[in-house]
Amino acid sequence: MHWDEFSDWGAKISQWAADYHKNLRNRPVRAQTQPGDVAALIAQSAPEGPQSMEAIMADFERVVMPGMTHWQHPRFFAYFPANAAPPSMLAEMLVSTIAAQCMLWQTSPAATEMETVMLDWLRQAIGLPEKFSGVIQDSASSATLAAVLTMRERALNWQGNRSGLSGAPRLRIYCSAEVHTSVDRAIWVAGIGQDNLVRIPVCGARRGMDPEALRAAIETDIAAGDLPAGLIACTGGTGTGACDDIAAVLAVGKEFNLYSHVDAAWAGAGMICPEFRALWAGVEGADSIVFNPHKWLGAQFDCSAHFLADPASLVKTLAIKPEYLKTHGHDGVINYSEWSLPLGRRFRALKLWFLLRSYGLEALRQRLRNHVAWAEDLADRVSQHPRFEIVTSPVLSLFTFRLAGGDDAAQIAFVNRINDDGRIYITQTQVDGQIAVRFQIGQFDVTQEDVHFAYDVLCELAA
């Protein structure tokens, strides 16, 4: 492809993108294809010669689009959103065009320095104190793995990377059952082992970790000769929006010198609104905090903000410095590849710069406040409908409910009816061993009319 042709197709694809977003409500939210349908339409081997962009784009429409679930659809109420505000998309176009590998300061000084400043913008926006420094990870899963590795190394006096875990004390990590499964995976990858992830019972309306049960579990492990290493708390857990009492559980962790990580992957964006910060009161006592601007805030996936009270512990865990990665003559510069698991790094900070400048914090706050208010209103309407019963009340913009009188099979069948219908998209979760219907509002362009439409669909398909 020549650059003149690139320019022409760039304009065409940009127009296609605008038309796609303006007409998303006309598409089913979830892909309506069956397993294997898309693969059957793709040639079994690569072509030997070039093919025209006209042919490629025609096949894109024919092959790809019918098999896409539309995460930017305003009636996407499943999982958590993976938003992509227009300025964020434009920034990603520039990033893809420049195509820089931003692993070191010297490989892209602007990317490194903008990342430092953008994470400080976010730190201020969510009310964290100045002691926190930030780095952009690809996802909260990577931030959690980095935190677990730091827990491991700190507990083993920084010898785990060198000596391995053979012969070391059995390490113990503490969390509730409400944390994301990325915690389990981090435990596996870190070599700590699933059996050493200690699940603490939850209590209260917010389904938070019981601080006294946490203390008892730690004391039991110490008595057994095990080595408590870390604590993972959550604000806005994926299943029901569960929120630990951050101040209380961190206080217990500090009694036993545990490294603490707070997973606020979804709910952390809500903390740009000061009135929501009670959900994570005491978070300033954490060692590590993560939230995803690519979920609720509008930054295009992927973009995860990882804040650290003491970056030196993370760097000591992850940094490796062969000669070819040294930056001579510029002492003191930050090389963010030493703060993250991958060596290679994308220029993710640019989309934050575009996003935050294009909207401003107050406009973003208003969007989130709308989502919360609409979720509370919808939950109230659902609670008054004879076919439904609320299971967990709204936490920010997430709540769960059930078909009244229906068993688990009935709940799954209801979810499947809705998603096969295609007009809205939801998912299920499990609460106290029973299936519940999960509903969250957070897509960047959702309107109150979309929420009212969703209620009508729920009522129609529950009949």
Side-chain angles (χ1 to χ4, degrees):
M1 177 181 284
H2 299 293
W3 287 112
D4 287 344
E5 186 182 4
F6 174 90
S7 178
D8 291 341
W9 276 102
K12 290 176 182 176
I13 290 174
S14 179
Q15 185 59 57
W16 181 94
D19 292 341
Y20 167 75
H21 279 268
K22 287 188 288 187
N23 294 290
L24 260 177
R25 285 183 178 84
N26 298 325
R27 297 178 183 265
V29 189
R30 193 182 72 171
Q32 301 295 296
T33 54
Q34 297 299 313
D37 284 357
V38 175
L41 298 175
I42 303 173
Q44 294 184 1
S45 56
E48 293 294 334
Q51 298 180 348
S52 70
M53 276 299 296
E54 286 84 359
I56 295 169
M57 279 300 294
D59 282 346
F60 171 78
E61 292 280 14
R62 178 180 65 89
V63 176
V64 176
M65 290 309 294
M68 293 304 299
T69 290
H70 301 291
W71 283 73
Q72 306 313 313
H73 200 296
R75 294 168 184 165
F76 185 103
F77 302 110
Y79 307 105
F80 286 126
N83 280 320
S88 177
M89 287 186 261
L90 292 175
E92 284 288 73
M93 291 169 63
L94 293 174
V95 168
S96 295
T97 300
I98 298 168
Q101 212 279 49
C102 308
M103 59 184 176
L104 307 172
W105 175 86
Q106 67 175 340
T107 64
S108 288
T112 295
E113 294 181 22
M114 181 168 284
E115 184 163 342
T116 301
V117 178
M118 287 304 98
L119 268 292
D120 199 61
W121 280 17
L122 289 179
R123 176 197 64 77
Q124 295 175 57
I126 63 176
L128 293 179
E130 290 185 6
K131 69 176 182 178
F132 283 95
S133 301
V135 57
I136 301 177
Q137 310 286 10
D138 55 3
S139 66
S141 298
S142 291
T144 297
L145 175 55
V148 169
L149 291 170
T150 304
M151 293 172 188
R152 185 192 74 187
E153 289 306 294
R154 183 174 175 272
L156 295 177
N157 196 27
W158 314 102
Q159 294 303 305
N161 283 338
R162 179 175 298 276
S163 303
L165 302 185
S166 178
R170 189 168 71 153
L171 301 178
R172 306 285 271 178
I173 307 291
Y174 306 88
C175 67
S176 81
E178 298 287 341
V179 298
H180 192 267
T181 52
S182 60
V183 174
D184 300 69
R185 185 173 291 175
I187 296 298
W188 302 349
V189 174
I192 293 171
Q194 184 74 56
D195 290 346
N196 294 310
L197 181 60
V198 183
R199 301 285 190 178
I200 306 301
V202 300
C203 61
R206 290 181 180 165
R207 303 181 65 81
M209 194 186 321
D210 183 336
E212 291 309 313
L214 171 64
R215 178 180 286 105
I218 296 171
E219 290 173 342
T220 297
D221 287 340
I222 292 172
D226 297 332
L227 181 57
L231 163 68
I232 300 174
C234 71
T235 299
T238 302
T240 65
C243 293
D244 291 323
D245 182 337
I246 300 297
V249 298
L250 293 187
V252 174
K254 289 185 184 303
E255 288 180 32
F256 297 95
N257 195 31
L258 302 187
Y259 188 95
S260 58
H261 176 67
V262 175
D263 181 355
W266 160 64
M271 304 311 162
I272 67 171
C273 303
E275 66 268 28
F276 299 148
R277 292 176 191 167
L279 290 174
W280 73 355
V283 73
E284 66 278 359
D287 294 301
S288 173
I289 303 162
V290 66
F291 91 93
N292 291 339
H294 69 235
K295 280 192 166 72
W296 204 8
L297 201 59
Q300 180 157 342
F301 185 84
D302 54 4
C303 184
S304 189
H306 185 190
F307 295 98
L308 301 134
D310 175 22
S313 295
L314 177 67
V315 172
K316 193 172 183 179
T317 299
L318 297 180
I320 187 166
K321 298 181 180 180
E323 181 60 35
Y324 54 78
L325 292 181
K326 293 179 181 177
T327 301
H328 293 287
H330 293 284
D331 294 338
V333 298
I334 294 175
N335 292 318
Y336 280 117
S337 61
E338 298 174 355
W339 295 43
S340 57
L341 295 163
L343 173 61
R345 308 188 85 251
R346 299 178 61 248
F347 187 3
R348 296 184 179 94
L350 190 68
K351 57 193 166 193
L352 288 173
W353 195 47
F354 272 48
L355 173 74
L356 294 173
R357 293 183 64 192
S358 293
Y359 291 96
L361 286 173
E362 189 52 38
L364 294 172
R365 289 187 190 105
Q366 190 55 53
R367 283 179 187 259
L368 272 56
R369 287 169 174 148
N370 286 343
H371 299 168
V372 172
W374 298 341
E376 291 172 348
D377 176 70
L378 179 62
D380 183 61
R381 295 180 71 186
V382 166
S383 72
Q384 297 179 46
H385 193 287
R387 288 288 285 129
F388 302 130
E389 57 188 22
I390 295 293
V391 177
T392 58
S393 298
V395 175
L396 297 174
S397 61
L398 167 65
F399 68 96
T400 65
F401 67 99
R402 289 171 58 88
L403 282 177
D407 60 11
D408 283 356
Q411 312 304 325
I412 294 294
F414 177 52
V415 171
N416 288 341
R417 281 199 304 277
I418 290 168
N419 293 336
D420 290 343
D421 173 83
R423 287 175 289 171
I424 67 172
Y425 187 24
I426 61 173
T427 43
Q428 73 283 345
T429 189
Q430 196 171 74
V431 183
D432 297 330
Q434 292 187 308
I435 297 295
V437 182
R438 182 183 176 281
F439 198 102
Q440 71 79 32
I441 300 170
Q443 200 284 324
F444 201 74
D445 290 325
V446 65
T447 65
Q448 192 169 23
E449 289 70 28
D450 291 313
V451 178
H452 291 163
F453 179 88
Y455 176 75
D456 292 339
V457 172
L458 293 175
C459 295
E460 175 189 335
L461 296 178

